[in-house]
Amino acid sequence: MSSKARYATRHYTEIAAYLETMKGSHITAQDVCDHFRAEGRPISTTTVYRQLERLVEEGIVNKYIIDANTPACFEYSGAEHLHSEHTCYHCKCEKCGVLIHLHCDEMEELTRHLSKDHHFILDPRRTVFYGLCENCAAAGI
């Protein structure tokens, strides 16, 4: 955060609280706008984006950009995430578009291998594996 102290605005607090209730889910800025509009408390899209970016800067929310055709999604990680060594990768189904969290010890081993043996640091926030989800694969799509 900059040397200028920031304070928590009402929108910042409301958006952070909403995202916390959705922990473990990927939420778009439009989802946030829709939620507050449905509650009769609309927040402008610009304000939502500004507050989401602030939450990302502060490490409370993770931002994922999956591809050029999908809107950025956000996931609440909370302040405890700042001290966590556990990372999350993603799998995206090329047919139905479902996004799956991938928490896997083997991925951590791959990350260490890439770093040690290939001098390459993998960024889990931008790493997406593409393929077919279980349902699409079973349906033969």
Side-chain angles (χ1 to χ4, degrees):
M1 187 157 50
S2 68
S3 60
K4 182 180 176 183
R6 289 177 140 175
Y7 61 94
T9 65
R10 177 177 55 90
H11 289 143
Y12 173 91
T13 303
E14 289 175 342
I15 291 169
Y18 169 63
L19 290 172
E20 186 173 10
T21 68
M22 303 300 290
K23 191 172 187 171
S25 299
H26 295 104
I27 307 295
T28 66
Q30 188 61 53
D31 294 333
V32 174
C33 291
D34 292 346
H35 167 76
F36 286 103
R37 187 175 305 109
E39 285 195 342
R41 303 181 297 143
I43 301 176
S44 76
T45 304
T46 302
T47 298
V48 168
Y49 274 108
R50 184 173 48 249
Q51 297 307 325
L52 285 171
E53 290 301 329
R54 181 175 165 198
L55 289 162
V56 169
E57 286 174 17
E58 293 174 1
I60 296 169
V61 169
N62 292 325
K63 179 179 182 178
Y64 300 104
I65 300 172
I66 304 306
D67 57 43
N69 301 317
T70 306
C73 58
F74 301 86
E75 179 185 27
Y76 180 85
S77 59
E80 66 275 6
H81 175 74
L82 296 173
H83 307 292
S84 172
E85 292 182 18
H86 192 69
T87 54
C88 178
Y89 297 86
H90 294 87
C91 299
K92 182 173 182 180
C93 181
E94 294 177 295
K95 295 298 179 185
C96 71
V98 69
L99 192 62
I100 301 166
H101 286 281
L102 178 62
H103 297 283
C104 181
D105 291 337
E106 280 75 19
M107 287 304 305
E108 298 304 320
E109 182 59 35
L110 175 62
T111 301
R112 284 189 289 278
H113 170 75
L114 286 171
S115 176
K116 180 181 174 205
D117 296 340
H118 302 282
H119 313 290
F120 185 81
I121 306 299
L122 190 64
D123 182 353
R125 294 170 299 164
R126 298 182 48 89
T127 303
V128 180
F129 297 97
Y130 293 89
L132 295 177
C133 70
E134 183 177 27
N135 292 335
C136 290
I141 297 176

